[in-house]
Amino acid sequence: MATDWWWPAGWAAAGALLGTGTVDLTRRFLLTGGTVARSRWFGAVLTAAVLALLSWRIGTRGEVFVYGVAAVLGVPLAVIDWCEHRLPRALVLPQLVGAAVGFAALSLIRADPAPGLRALWALLASAGCCLILALATGGGIGAGDVRLAAVVGLVTGWSGWPAVAAALLVASVLALVLSAIPRAHTRDERGAAVVPFGPCFLGGVLAVVTVTG
């Protein structure tokens, strides 16, 4: 773990710059939402905070760049899903491909394919479980959630199966908490609570990566 102040500070500065730019993605895909969700300062602050935390915990290892790619696109995804319960495929797929390419590069550089293969299997397992839940709930979980679950599996699977399980558990707990907060969820035609799973998934990944490194 890097303890020098300049490393997370540098990543925070990069996050502020990248977050300012990715707000354009938020504005492009966000049909509603208030001025805060669309503001450049909000995207900059969120992205800077996430990248600073990741770089502080991961240090100078190559994983920080892969996690950084996922985080930069994760911020607009979380904002859009929070406001409209949507996870645009045009953002999730580049996030998934970017992380996959990054992990593949690390596997080649280190001549160690095991973490990459495990991440691939975790991708399939996480997406498959979410797909089963989507079919079982009859619409409670959308296609965007299934795609993002693949990202969760890929990113946490690189560290190990316990990290995958922990991230999904944290995401489930966050979803339960949101379902108990009136302003944090909506109701479907059957009266059931519908929560934005995107922020929950991404929060679970961030929590696990921060704890496990």
Side-chain angles (χ1 to χ4, degrees):
M1 179 173 61
T3 55
D4 293 331
W5 65 270
W6 60 267
W7 183 249
W11 276 91
L17 181 62
L18 292 170
T20 301
T22 55
V23 169
D24 291 328
L25 296 175
T26 304
R27 293 175 176 176
R28 176 181 175 184
F29 293 102
L30 192 63
L31 303 178
T32 59
T35 56
V36 173
R38 296 172 178 270
S39 64
R40 294 195 183 277
W41 70 264
F42 186 65
V45 168
L46 279 182
T47 309
V50 172
L51 291 190
L53 180 61
L54 289 173
S55 62
W56 168 77
R57 188 65 181 92
I58 306 299
T60 57
R61 289 186 287 123
E63 284 85 350
V64 70
F65 296 98
V66 184
Y67 295 148
V69 170
V72 168
L73 289 175
V75 170
L77 280 169
V79 172
I80 294 168
D81 198 34
W82 181 269
C83 294
E84 299 182 353
H85 293 222
R86 290 191 307 113
L87 291 165
R89 179 173 54 186
L91 294 182
V92 179
L93 292 183
Q95 183 188 43
L96 181 62
V97 172
V101 171
F103 284 142
L106 289 179
S107 295
L108 290 173
I109 292 171
R110 298 171 181 175
D112 183 11
L117 293 175
R118 182 177 57 236
L120 178 60
W121 283 113
L123 178 159
L124 297 174
S126 182
C129 290
C130 193
L131 178 60
I132 293 173
L133 287 175
L135 296 175
T137 57
I141 297 176
D145 297 316
V146 176
R147 286 188 287 266
L148 191 58
V151 177
V152 173
L154 177 69
V155 172
T156 56
W158 178 263
S159 299
W161 288 105
V164 180
L168 294 177
L169 177 61
V170 172
S172 299
V173 171
L174 291 175
L176 287 175
V177 172
L178 291 182
S179 67
I181 302 175
R183 291 183 177 273
H185 67 268
T186 58
R187 297 283 179 178
D188 60 16
E189 62 276 3
R190 297 171 297 180
V194 179
V195 301
F197 277 98
C200 299
F201 276 143
L202 297 168
V205 172
L206 181 61
V208 169
V209 171
T210 301
V211 171
T212 63

